[in-house]
Amino acid sequence: MKKTVTSIRCVPRFGYDYAQVRSIDLDLPEGWDDDDLRTALTHFFAYRSIADAVFAVEADDDGFFAIINDEAYQHEWGEALF
């Protein structure tokens, strides 16, 4: 199965002071959809022992993004965009 590395924006659900927009790279199957993205995100955070990080997967003019529960931002992951 061919996979594609895709950069996904992760935005905080509420935006507390310690939470910022971050970006992560995921390996997704060719022709992926939002369900595949949610599964990959869940595995990404589970691998880092961060439970229940993904609140929702949405899309805007810039593509898909993940809404992440603010508690997950107390851990090291991803690259801050701002």
Side-chain angles (χ1 to χ4, degrees):
M1 175 187 295
K2 188 173 182 178
K3 295 206 174 207
T4 304
V5 175
T6 304
S7 183
I8 300 295
R9 290 173 294 140
C10 297
V11 299
R13 182 173 177 197
F14 293 111
Y16 296 123
D17 289 340
Y18 58 83
Q20 70 280 95
V21 177
R22 296 183 187 176
S23 175
I24 60 173
D25 293 328
L26 297 175
D27 289 327
L28 295 168
E30 192 172 326
W32 59 273
D33 61 16
D34 55 336
D35 289 332
D36 295 324
L37 176 56
R38 187 173 185 87
T39 299
L41 284 163
T42 301
H43 288 148
F44 175 88
F45 286 105
Y47 178 76
R48 288 156 180 80
S49 300
I50 305 171
D52 302 322
V54 181
F55 177 74
V57 174
E58 300 287 334
D60 62 13
D61 291 341
D62 294 323
F64 283 100
F65 65 95
I67 301 170
I68 305 298
N69 288 315
D70 288 64
E71 295 77 20
Y73 285 89
Q74 296 175 356
H75 301 273
E76 293 292 322
W77 57 268
E79 181 179 327
L81 295 178
F82 302 121

